[in-house]
Amino acid sequence: MELTKYGHACWRVEKDGKVLVIDPGVFTPEPEALAGADAVLITHAHFDHVDVDRLSGLDVPVWTCAGVIDEGVKGQAVRHGDTFDAAGFGIRVFGEWHAANHPDQPVIDNVGFLIDDELFYPGDALTVPDASVGTLLVPTGAPWMKLSEMVEYLRTVKPSRAYSTHDALYSEAGLGLVDRWLQLEADRQGADMRRIKPGESVTLS
């Protein structure tokens, strides 16, 4: 399984000639992110995770939470506890709610996806799935998150690999801090924890 990072919160997963794309939002400018996609997963309705206009031009199946369907995306609504197959990938759904953000904004629904019992993407939440996680896509920068929460999340899930996501809000200096924070935790846990730059890939064996 090959994993490629794109702008902000978007990831492309490839296996056996099939392509699964997660959270291609408006902060994901790269056209190649969705090129040849066989299926799309969307964690929640915020614009940095879903570009409704862009998806409307694709003829591929989409799985997401009910809130995204309500925004006009054509797809299949899923919720915590569901399992399904998407383009040959086995998917398990964990989580129900987005992390609390601005006090004047309601908490919306958010689902996390565990792919092939290996790769977990929580969306905008720090959901701990009731399952072993080999590879975690860990949010590293968001209005709703503190550094201490990110570190505690890594220590609770204890993945063998963790890669930064949700990081477009950082300057170059801030990304350097993300690199440092992940390296410190990688050293502590003896795991592969780091930031993959947009367009770069890693193979999960």
Side-chain angles (χ1 to χ4, degrees):
M1 187 160 56
E2 183 174 72
L3 181 63
T4 303
K5 172 75 163 64
Y6 285 100
H8 188 51
C10 179
W11 294 83
R12 182 181 172 100
V13 190
E14 300 181 57
K15 181 188 72 172
D16 298 333
K18 296 295 185 178
V19 177
L20 182 67
V21 179
I22 313 169
D23 279 8
V26 299
F27 292 168
T28 304
E30 304 94 340
E32 62 269 27
L34 281 163
D38 295 293
V40 174
L41 306 179
I42 304 292
T43 61
H44 65 284
H46 286 160
F47 67 89
D48 56 329
H49 292 258
V50 56
D51 186 335
V52 176
D53 292 338
R54 194 173 179 185
L55 284 182
S56 67
L58 292 178
D59 185 21
V60 298
V62 176
W63 284 268
T64 185
C65 59
V68 174
I69 305 296
D70 291 343
E71 292 296 319
V73 172
K74 294 181 180 179
Q76 175 65 48
V78 295
R79 58 186 299 176
H80 177 77
D82 286 347
T83 62
F84 59 95
D85 180 273
F89 295 87
I91 314 294
R92 300 169 65 187
V93 182
F94 293 92
E96 298 180 87
W97 300 108
H98 191 289
N101 205 337
H102 192 284
D104 296 338
Q105 298 295 320
V107 175
I108 65 171
D109 51 349
N110 176 99
V111 290
F113 298 105
L114 179 63
I115 301 168
D116 281 352
D117 289 324
E118 166 62 32
L119 174 67
F120 184 62
Y121 188 19
D124 278 11
L126 299 178
T127 302
V128 178
D130 184 20
S132 175
V133 174
T135 304
L136 175 67
L137 301 180
V138 58
T140 55
W144 48 266
M145 189 185 70
K146 297 186 296 185
L147 170 61
S148 60
E149 294 172 331
M150 181 197 79
V151 172
E152 186 60 33
Y153 187 47
L154 289 168
R155 294 180 182 181
T156 300
V157 177
K158 295 183 176 65
S160 298
R161 292 161 296 277
Y163 304 122
S164 169
T165 194
H166 211 279
D167 49 20
L169 301 183
Y170 282 114
S171 65
E172 285 302 314
L175 290 172
L177 290 175
V178 171
D179 293 339
R180 177 60 176 159
W181 296 331
L182 291 177
Q183 186 59 59
L184 287 171
E185 198 58 27
D187 293 343
R188 184 182 190 277
Q189 295 196 35
D192 178 17
M193 297 181 177
R194 54 192 166 95
R195 181 171 59 91
I196 300 172
K197 295 180 181 179
E200 293 185 352
S201 302
V202 63
T203 299
L204 307 181
S205 56

